[in-house]
Amino acid sequence: MSSTVPYVGRDLPVTDVAAHFLWEYRPDGEGRYEVTGECPACRCPMTKVWPYGQHTTAKGPFSRRQRPDDDDGPWYTKCTCASWHVNRPDGLDRGCGAGFWIAFPPNGLPR
């Protein structure tokens, strides 16, 4: 699959939170959250995985907490689409370079 959107490293503002993502909790192993939807920048399908208890903070870097439900989101991610984007840097095989925020589901994180 390819996209007409070229690779451009940029972050969308936290005021443009992506709300159309499906959140699933996968309990196998230590557990993880899988979030699936469409990148708001390139419109390609993507999935982001966060290990249970490890997620992003307001500034974007990872921090570890005991209970992820203590955080009400949104969580920050970079695009992880599998589409090919013109000008993507060597060594990167996924994404369009966009960073954005994903809103929590209205009823909180799934369990």
Side-chain angles (χ1 to χ4, degrees):
M1 179 163 53
S2 63
S3 172
T4 58
V5 177
Y7 183 95
V8 178
R10 67 178 181 273
D11 287 334
L12 302 178
V14 70
T15 54
D16 291 339
V17 175
H20 300 288
F21 277 76
L22 172 65
W23 286 79
E24 296 181 87
Y25 176 68
R26 305 287 183 166
D28 50 306
E30 293 183 11
R32 67 185 186 276
Y33 289 102
E34 287 186 4
V35 184
T36 305
E38 185 179 90
C39 171
C42 69
R43 302 290 185 216
C44 296
M46 60 163 279
T47 298
K48 170 67 178 179
V49 176
W50 279 287
Y52 180 81
Q54 182 176 359
H55 54 281
T56 59
T57 62
K59 292 185 180 179
F62 284 98
S63 69
R64 185 159 291 275
R65 295 188 186 173
Q66 295 292 71
R67 298 178 56 204
D69 55 339
D70 289 344
D71 189 351
D72 60 357
W75 286 356
Y76 177 84
T77 187
K78 291 281 194 178
C79 176
T80 62
C81 77
S83 298
W84 178 78
H85 293 278
V86 175
N87 298 329
R88 184 163 43 209
D90 291 340
L92 295 179
D93 61 349
R94 299 183 82 70
C96 69
F100 58 95
W101 300 85
I102 300 176
F104 275 12
N107 295 328
L109 289 175
R111 294 270 172 207

